Amino acid sequence: MATPPPQHGAGPYPPYTAQQGAPYAVPQQPPAPYGPYQGAPGPYPAPTGYGCRLCGAQPAAAATVRGHQGLIVLMRFLSLQGPFCRDCGLATYRRMSGDTLWQGWWGPLSFFITPVTLLVNLGPRASFRRLAPPTGGFRPAMDPGKPLWRRPAALLFLVPVALFLLAVPTLILIGLAAGDDKPVTLRTGQCVRNEGDWNDQKLLVTDCGSPNAEYRVHSYPCDEGFIADLKYSADGSHHSCLTPLR
């Protein structure tokens, strides 16, 4: 009895399929199962981003803190790029902004660049303050220290600014309270000098023995000399005569 020929695919071996250009059949291999590197869940958690550049802790915000130095003629633009955790970011912001407050004004252009730099740093500061406390670093996070407005550099800047802002309304109030100088009331026999012109007189009573005395006051009508404005009379309705002393 003849033995039937073997059938492809029978037995423990995988089936063969012919490939174009191959002199013999090549066995088909079953697809490899997906492992942790192909997206299947594995024993290790997926990375959550970079840690702080200064301490390695997370969470961290990608931000750039800037500073400025005015050197009379020259200037320097400083920057430190993150990511930073909350504490290291605030410490960096306060240090660089504090240095800018007393180093950034010394130059014509720096006087305008410094406030812009301080305002730009408010963006990174807000990002750092929104972060959770740092954890998992390879070293302790930096100490943020005192708030910026409580540091000597900030006080050195804020005190003159506050004095200037207070001086302006104070001078305005003093001027309003003082008002115009009230004209003196002239009496016969007094000596005066005129610090204005005769269309806009400004008569001041002066000691007759002083070299600054120019005129002696006489009652009206005048034989010679000048006539004082009515504002220098007691009731505002009588003239006085001013006779030159020399």
Side-chain angles (χ1 to χ4, degrees):
M1 182 174 182
T3 304
Q7 301 293 327
H8 292 295
Y13 303 101
Y16 288 83
T17 57
Q19 295 184 355
Q20 185 178 3
Y24 51 85
V26 180
Q28 290 182 340
Q29 298 295 331
Y34 289 101
Y37 296 101
Q38 283 74 34
Y44 303 103
T48 57
Y50 296 102
C52 174
R53 64 170 293 175
L54 300 178
C55 70
Q58 291 187 355
T64 301
V65 184
R66 304 186 184 277
H68 185 74
Q69 292 180 346
L71 305 174
I72 309 300
V73 179
L74 305 177
M75 64 183 71
R76 293 180 62 193
F77 294 87
L78 310 174
S79 64
L80 189 60
Q81 189 173 1
F84 298 102
C85 68
R86 184 192 65 181
D87 292 354
C88 291
L90 289 176
T92 303
Y93 157 76
R94 292 172 180 176
R95 176 177 59 82
M96 295 187 69
S97 296
D99 291 344
T100 301
L101 276 173
W102 68 274
Q103 295 177 355
W105 305 97
W106 314 113
L109 294 178
S110 296
F111 188 83
F112 301 97
I113 296 173
T114 293
V116 175
T117 303
L118 296 173
L119 291 175
V120 169
N121 278 345
L122 294 179
R125 172 183 176 272
S127 299
F128 301 146
R129 291 176 62 89
R130 287 194 295 264
L131 295 175
T135 57
F138 55 80
R139 53 167 289 177
M142 297 176 63
D143 181 10
K146 296 180 180 180
L148 184 61
W149 62 273
R150 291 176 54 191
R151 301 193 174 202
L155 294 177
L156 185 66
F157 165 74
L158 292 176
V159 169
V161 171
L163 292 176
F164 174 77
L165 295 177
L166 291 175
V168 173
T170 301
L171 293 176
I172 293 176
L173 292 176
I174 292 176
L176 293 175
D180 297 332
D181 293 336
K182 185 177 180 180
V184 297
T185 300
L186 299 182
R187 296 190 300 272
T188 300
Q190 288 180 324
C191 294
V192 298
R193 70 177 186 273
N194 183 17
E195 294 190 348
D197 54 38
W198 290 107
N199 292 324
D200 184 17
Q201 298 177 10
K202 188 176 181 181
L203 302 179
L204 298 178
V205 176
T206 309
D207 184 5
C208 291
S210 171
N212 294 326
E214 297 176 333
Y215 308 95
R216 188 182 296 275
V217 180
H218 296 280
S219 59
Y220 190 81
C222 305
D223 296 331
E224 61 177 343
F226 303 92
I227 299 176
D229 289 342
L230 292 175
K231 63 182 179 181
Y232 294 103
S233 64
D235 55 6
S237 59
H238 295 82
H239 288 288
S240 297
C241 296
L242 302 178
T243 304
L245 291 177
R246 53 185 177 276

